[in-house]
Amino acid sequence: MARIIFHIDVNSAFLSWTAVEQLKNGSKVDLREIPAIIGGDQSSRHGIVLAKSSLAKSYGIQTGEPVVNAFRKCPNLVTAPPNHKMYREKSRMLMDFLRTYTKKIEQVSVDECYMDFTELAGRYPTPVDGAMEIKEEVKRRFGFTVNIGISSNKLLAKMASDFQKPDRIHTLFPEEVPQKMWPLPIGELFMAGRSSVEVFKKLEINTIGDLARADVNVITLHLKSHGRMLWNFANGIGDDKVQYEPEEAKGVGNSTTLSEDATTYEEARDVFRELAQSVGNRLKKAGKKAGMVSMEVRYYDFRNMSHQVQLQKPTNDPVILCETACNLFRESWSGEPVRLLGIRTSKLVEENAPEQLTIFDIEFPKEPDEKHKKLNAALEQLNNRYGKGAVVKGTFYKPDGKKKKDGI
């Protein structure tokens, strides 16, 4: 059976949730129907536009720009401060409702998730009918709207949900990609950031279709592994597995919003080192080791990205966790400024659980070769001449604890 995956995204979540809460408390004005934004203190780093209404968008106001700039574009703009505690509660309510349909939910941010609808599809005439029921019930229960994208993999479902908004349902199955996705500007491809788009334009790649038809080796030459990933995305190739886990097996993680955007690998590495220490300590305190590590990034413009890998052996060692997160970051970072970094672990096992050794973990005894025989003889002569213990033969170890070589 072909997979049916939904991507469910709250329309302008922070603004919608604030509007719903204000109306519930007696407000006569719906922020969604006037030029309005959610933004913080203009004198701080957080004085940026976090969400905007459709009318605010018509003035050219963009998410991520300074609030003061937004007021220049629209002097009668209405603004409200963010309330992250309330947002988390609205998010929890939404996810709890969606899990009444299926537990196969992968939440990727406070306002969006993937749902594996495959096993439910047979209950409805079409997947669109199922999505319509969910969309209308969200509106009736909670007072805000969502977009739902439908496809056979997560990438295309995500792309579909970003089509015309708000309060819409769109499909983007592989056979629809040439018609619906390829004509779009290259900047609308998921994970195609500003720096990647600049490289593509130099290569005369202006649409998603241009990238799909390009030579993948040329793209990889210019953008490395990130370029190959974008080429796959342009051709509709993406993961079709919704990553859901029972509550008790979710794992341990930590993330941090940076005081200033990180723009170099070295800055990100220092953050990962601290995060890995925290996650490793929490795993040890819980008596657990992790079999999978994921790295998450939020870019300057609030786009989210994550990348994960399964470890050869479960671990709670902060050094290994940091090294793994850094490798994942190098593989997938677009080069754009980063405002949040995180490390998540999953597939936990008990710390004292028996491990299956590989052949590389086993050290076999060796008879001393001719070189070691001569070395031992020389050591014995030196100790006889200068006194016992004058020169000591020992074993040197690598930082990871593995034997490196014998020496003196």
Side-chain angles (χ1 to χ4, degrees):
M1 180 187 298
R3 286 191 187 273
I4 301 294
I5 294 175
F6 290 179
H7 181 263
I8 303 171
D9 188 12
V10 179
N11 297 134
S12 196
F14 291 176
L15 187 125
S16 292
W17 288 336
T18 301
V20 167
E21 201 66 13
Q22 288 184 356
L23 292 170
K24 190 167 66 176
N25 293 328
S27 175
K28 303 300 183 183
V29 178
D30 188 335
L31 293 178
R32 293 167 291 187
E33 297 176 356
I34 62 174
I37 62 169
I38 301 299
D41 181 357
Q42 297 182 39
S43 65
S44 74
R45 168 183 163 75
H46 297 288
I48 61 175
V49 177
L50 299 178
K52 60 190 181 298
S53 67
S54 297
L55 282 174
K57 183 179 179 180
S58 70
Y59 282 88
I61 294 171
Q62 298 181 352
T63 301
E65 74 172 307
V67 169
V68 66
N69 286 2
F71 273 100
R72 291 193 188 105
K73 296 175 180 178
C74 180
N76 64 334
L77 191 66
V78 174
T79 182
N83 183 341
H84 293 286
K85 182 179 179 181
M86 183 263 287
Y87 301 153
R88 288 192 294 271
E89 178 60 19
K90 298 288 188 188
S91 175
R92 184 194 61 78
M93 291 167 56
L94 173 63
M95 297 304 157
D96 285 348
F97 164 68
L98 295 177
R99 289 189 178 97
T100 64
Y101 281 85
T102 175
K103 303 300 182 186
K104 296 182 178 180
I105 300 286
E106 178 184 350
Q107 185 171 2
V108 290
S109 69
V110 71
D111 61 343
E112 62 178 321
C113 70
Y114 294 101
M115 172 189 284
D116 189 333
F117 200 73
T118 310
E119 294 176 0
L120 303 175
R123 303 180 190 176
Y124 300 89
T126 69
V128 172
D129 292 294
M132 182 65 72
E133 177 181 298
I134 292 172
K135 181 178 77 70
E136 293 303 314
E137 188 63 14
V138 167
K139 189 191 305 184
R140 187 188 70 80
R141 286 180 179 234
F142 306 118
F144 56 83
T145 63
V146 298
N147 261 42
I148 301 181
I150 306 173
S151 189
S152 55
N153 68 42
K154 293 196 292 188
L155 162 74
L156 295 180
K158 166 70 174 173
M159 290 291 298
S161 72
D162 284 337
F163 290 163
Q164 187 181 10
K165 296 181 178 183
D167 198 22
R168 300 297 182 98
I169 295 170
H170 301 281
T171 64
L172 183 58
F173 291 101
E175 62 271 18
E176 298 176 297
V177 164
Q179 177 189 359
K180 292 185 176 182
M181 192 172 80
W182 282 359
L184 297 176
I186 188 63
E188 294 191 26
L189 180 64
F190 180 55
M191 294 302 299
R194 184 174 57 192
S195 60
S196 300
V197 170
E198 289 174 359
V199 172
F200 286 139
K201 287 186 176 178
K202 290 177 183 177
L203 296 172
E204 298 185 349
I205 292 174
N206 298 305
T207 68
I208 297 176
D210 291 340
L211 176 58
R213 292 183 288 265
D215 185 336
V216 66
N217 294 315
V218 173
I219 302 303
T220 305
L221 180 66
H222 286 83
L223 289 170
K224 301 181 180 177
S225 61
H226 186 68
R228 180 175 288 273
M229 179 183 73
L230 291 176
W231 183 89
N232 283 333
F233 286 179
N235 282 282
I237 301 169
D239 183 15
D240 68 349
K241 186 175 181 182
V242 174
Q243 301 287 339
Y244 62 93
E245 291 180 325
E247 202 68 31
E248 64 275 9
K250 280 189 175 178
V252 173
N254 196 8
S255 62
T256 183
T257 300
L258 311 181
S259 58
E260 294 184 5
D261 289 343
T263 57
T264 67
Y265 166 73
E266 289 72 22
E267 291 173 319
R269 180 192 58 200
D270 292 342
V271 176
F272 281 130
R273 188 176 291 124
E274 293 184 15
L275 292 172
Q277 191 66 51
S278 168
V279 172
N281 289 342
R282 288 172 59 192
L283 286 168
K284 290 176 182 178
K285 188 174 180 179
K288 302 287 187 180
K289 289 183 177 182
M292 180 168 285
V293 175
S294 66
M295 174 280 311
E296 61 182 25
V297 168
R298 178 171 298 154
Y299 288 107
Y300 71 100
D301 57 359
F302 296 91
R303 285 178 295 115
N304 296 311
M305 180 271 292
S306 63
H307 192 20
Q308 66 182 21
V309 67
Q310 184 157 336
L311 302 174
Q312 287 188 344
K313 292 196 301 184
T315 188
N316 53 20
D317 184 344
V319 174
I320 297 175
L321 295 175
C322 178
E323 180 182 346
T324 304
C326 288
N327 289 339
L328 292 170
F329 180 76
R330 276 196 299 260
E331 288 176 6
S332 53
W333 181 40
S334 69
E336 296 170 283
V338 169
R339 65 181 293 113
L340 176 145
L341 291 168
I343 295 177
R344 303 285 169 192
T345 61
S346 57
K347 295 193 175 180
L348 304 189
V349 298
E350 295 297 325
E351 189 172 29
N352 57 1
E355 295 181 4
Q356 182 174 350
L357 297 178
T358 70
I359 192 170
F360 302 105
D361 298 311
I362 304 171
E363 291 190 6
F364 299 96
K366 292 182 179 179
E367 291 293 328
D369 57 19
E370 195 62 32
K371 181 174 71 173
H372 283 82
K373 289 178 181 178
K374 290 180 180 179
L375 175 62
N376 290 334
L379 289 174
E380 188 175 351
Q381 287 180 5
L382 289 169
N383 283 322
N384 288 338
R385 183 173 179 179
Y386 295 105
K388 188 174 181 181
V391 183
V392 180
K393 179 183 177 185
T395 302
F396 291 81
Y397 292 85
K398 297 180 181 179
D400 61 4
K402 292 184 179 180
K403 184 176 177 181
K404 185 177 181 182
K405 64 179 180 178
D406 290 333
I408 57 173

